[in-house]
């Protein structure tokens, strides 16, 4: 039996079958071509989707109003201070004279032979406040800090290290002046109200002598014990701006001129320098230029995917595609349509030098933009960002959502937000005694803590400052970012939470000082702001009011004022916001994803067709090979018969002649 087809017959069966199967496989090539085209379209739509996402990301940054309202600050004498301004600063110029710089309070000890010299152990208590007229007035914004000095750390170096590790608002260092080593203690913060009062609880039981830990006492008030020496007095920064004397605790001043930060470096007593505030036109020019570039980058992707080259008569992969054409048309229409303005005096991009060219790209005329930036009646932020302009100075626009409706929104307030309070029912006792009336337990905004007050005799004002300092310094309270303010009226104390709204609460829950200091306190929870926007009830949380219905997503801050009608909010989405929403809708509405899904479905269908065709071809090849094998066997058989007959014929008589 023949092991290979064609050997017996001499036919090239393998070659013949291969050629016949090549003809049979032509439909596979057609499927491969179709799949390659589908894959190319799939890649193209992926590129388009990526380009839209990139464009959308760039629009998010451009939708920030502060990009277009930024201010720049400059000082004629740059050596005097570093200056900066934010968008709330008003343009103009100011004369400025820096008379003094703020300084930290610094104290030094007596000389000690070595850094290892033992000083003493016990507790150091540091308080911050102001010395004036022989009295020390506590800084109510700062809590007293107690630092435990163990016998193991009772040396000069050990006390220094322990103070620094305590993070108590002071720093400690050792200075060798040539005659010995001195401990220097300095307040971390500058200003008159951050002067230091240092008292000790000495393990030698004498807290006022100049032996042991009490060597570090410093109380410059009348009758106080002062064993440290002042080397630098606490002082405020003083400066004159346009003839107005300004006194600040820090050399970094953020509230002298609205929106301006001054970082004072040195004085110029007796002379003045000029501070200029102007629009940051470079930043705005860059923002608008970035918008034009972002659109042109997207447009290039769209054109490259869909253009038809008339010269070469070649089409791109998405030439004539309806989805691409729809995206391009919607983008151009959105850019061309005038805005509903929020009151910035601008409604179309051509007003700031942005216009379409014949090839569908945007061009930018910076000169036209400069003219708008120099016009105080124009607000370019309303052209790009989502902006709300309020008619009431105590109402601030915070934010809006993409679906917030453009237009004028009326505001009516039925309830002003308030803070939680706890008010004493009787004048507070002014003498605080250890173990008698020196502790308070309380809960502020849901956070509970306890404090111990310093013993002594107070005025109502100084007692309020002591309690405020202790509460704000309680670890649980400070960790939660909570603060309270203490006030007194006719000797009665009131604690007020710094938070607004229903979550703002103050409760005095116990402690041996509760009755003496607050009697039966009247505790009142805060209230959320309440009202309507466009006649529809809005949601209040603290001072924040958020609209519903056609004002959905419009968020306002009501900082105070009266109940009743509070004017209007002119709101409109700018081009960056409008385009951002349009692109978001394109990406979320499955405009492109449906096409991608359709292409993937077609590719799967091609795979199914290919699989079915391959299965059929296997059968065809088997059949053809079987037929040729049979033919080969027949020919072999016939050849053998022919050979046999020839042999027999050759044996017949006379066959050889």
């Amino acid at each position: 039996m023949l092991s290979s087809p064609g050997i017996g017959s001499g036919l090239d069966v393998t070659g013949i079958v291969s050629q016949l199967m090549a003809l049979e496989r032509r439909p596979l090539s057609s499927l491969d071509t179709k799949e390659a085209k589908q894959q190319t379209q799939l890649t193209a739509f992926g590129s388009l989707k990526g380009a839209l996402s990139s464009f959308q990301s760039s629009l998010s940054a451009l939708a920030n109003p502060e990009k277009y309202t930024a201010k720049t600050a400059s000082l004629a004498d740059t050596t005097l201070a570093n200056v900066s301004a934010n968008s709330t600063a008003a343009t103009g110029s100011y004369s400025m004279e820096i008379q003094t710089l703020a300084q930290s309070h610094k104290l030094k000890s007596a000389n000690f032979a070595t850094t290892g010299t033992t000083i003493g152990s016990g507790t150091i208590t540091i308080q911050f406040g102001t010395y004036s007229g022989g009295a020390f007035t506590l800084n109510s914004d700062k809590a007293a800090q107690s630092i435990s000095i163990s016998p193991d750390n009772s040396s000069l170096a050990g006390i220094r290290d322990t103070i620094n590790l305590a993070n108590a608002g002071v720093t400690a260092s050792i200075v060798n002046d040539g005659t010995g080593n001195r401990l220097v203690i300095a307040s971390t913060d500058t200003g008159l109200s951050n002067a230091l009062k240092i008292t000790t609880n000495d393990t030698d039981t004498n807290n006022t002598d100049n032996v042991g830990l009490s060597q570090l006492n410093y109380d410059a008030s009348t009758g106080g014990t002062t064993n440290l020496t002042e080397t630098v007095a606490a002082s405020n920064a003083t400066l004159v701006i346009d003839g107005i004397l300004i006194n600040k605790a820090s050399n970094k001043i953020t509230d002298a001129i609205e929106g301006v930060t001054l970082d004072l470096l040195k004085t110029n007593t007796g002379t003045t320098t000029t501070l200029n505030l102007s629009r940051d036109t470079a930043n705005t020019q860059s923002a608008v230029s970035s918008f034009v570039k972002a659109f042109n980058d997207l447009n290039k992707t769209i054109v490259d995917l869909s253009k038809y080259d008339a010269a070469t008569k070649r089409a791109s992969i998405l030439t004539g595609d309806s989805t691409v054409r729809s995206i391009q048309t919607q983008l151009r229409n959105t850019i061309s349509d005038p805005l509903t303005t929020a009151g910035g005096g601008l409604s179309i991009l051509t007003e700031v030098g942005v216009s379409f060219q014949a090839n569908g790209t945007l061009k930018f005329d910076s000169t036209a933009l400069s003219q708008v930036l120099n016009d105080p009646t124009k607000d370019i932020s309303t052209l790009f960002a989502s902006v709300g302009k309020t008619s009431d100075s105590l109402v601030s626009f915070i934010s809006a959502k993409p679906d917030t409706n453009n237009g004028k929104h009326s505001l009516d307030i039925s309830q002003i937000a308030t803070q939680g309070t706890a008010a004493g029912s009787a004048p507070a006792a002014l003498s605080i005694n250890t173990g008698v009336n020196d502790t308070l337990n309380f809960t502020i905004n849901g956070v509970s803590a306890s404090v111990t007050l310093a013993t002594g005799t107070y005025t109502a004002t100084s007692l309020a400052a002591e309690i405020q300092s202790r509460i704000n310094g309680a670890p649980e309270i400070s960790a939660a970012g909570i603060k309270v303010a203490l006030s007194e009226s006719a000797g009665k104390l009131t604690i007020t939470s710094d938070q607004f709204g229903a979550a703002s609460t103050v409760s005095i829950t116990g402690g041996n000082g509760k009755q003496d200091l607050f009697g039966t306190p009247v505790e009142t929870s805060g209230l959320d702001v309440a009202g309507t926007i466009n006649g529809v009830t809005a949601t209040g949380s603290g001072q924040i009011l958020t609209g519903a219905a056609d004002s959905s997503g419009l968020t306002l801050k009501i900082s105070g004022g009266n109940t009743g009608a509070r004017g209007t909010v002119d709101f409109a989405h700018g081009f960056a916001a409008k385009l951002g929403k349009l692109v978001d809708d394109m990406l979320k509405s499955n405009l492109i994803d449906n096409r991608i899904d359709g292409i993937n479905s077609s590719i799967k269908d091609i795979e199914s067709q290919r699989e079915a065709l391959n299965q059929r071809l296997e059968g065809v090849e088997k059949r053809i090979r079987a037929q040729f094998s049979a033919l080969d066997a027949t020919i072999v058989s016939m050849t053998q018969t022919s050979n046999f007959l020839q042999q027999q014929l050759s044996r017949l008589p006379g066959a050889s002649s």
Side-chain angles (χ1 to χ4, degrees), residues 453-527:
L453 307 178
T455 59
T457 301
Y458 295 84
T459 64
T461 300
S462 64
L463 180 59
E466 166 70 7
I467 297 173
Q468 177 177 319
S469 172
R470 296 289 179 172
I471 292 176
N472 289 337
E476 301 90 343
I477 298 300
S478 59
I482 299 171
K483 285 189 176 182
V484 300
L486 266 288
S487 60
E488 69 87 16
S489 177
K492 297 179 181 179
L493 302 178
T494 298
I495 304 176
T496 303
S497 166
D498 67 340
Q499 183 174 320
F500 285 84
S504 177
T505 58
V506 179
S507 179
I508 303 172
T509 57
N512 59 27
K514 177 181 178 179
Q515 184 63 40
D516 281 0
L517 299 176
F518 290 93
T520 303
V522 178
E523 298 172 354
T524 306
S525 297
L527 298 173

Side-chain angles (χ1 to χ4, degrees), residues 25-36:
R25 287 193 178 92
R26 283 183 179 178
L28 279 178
S29 298
S30 177
L31 289 178
D32 290 342
T33 301
K34 287 181 181 180
E35 183 180 26

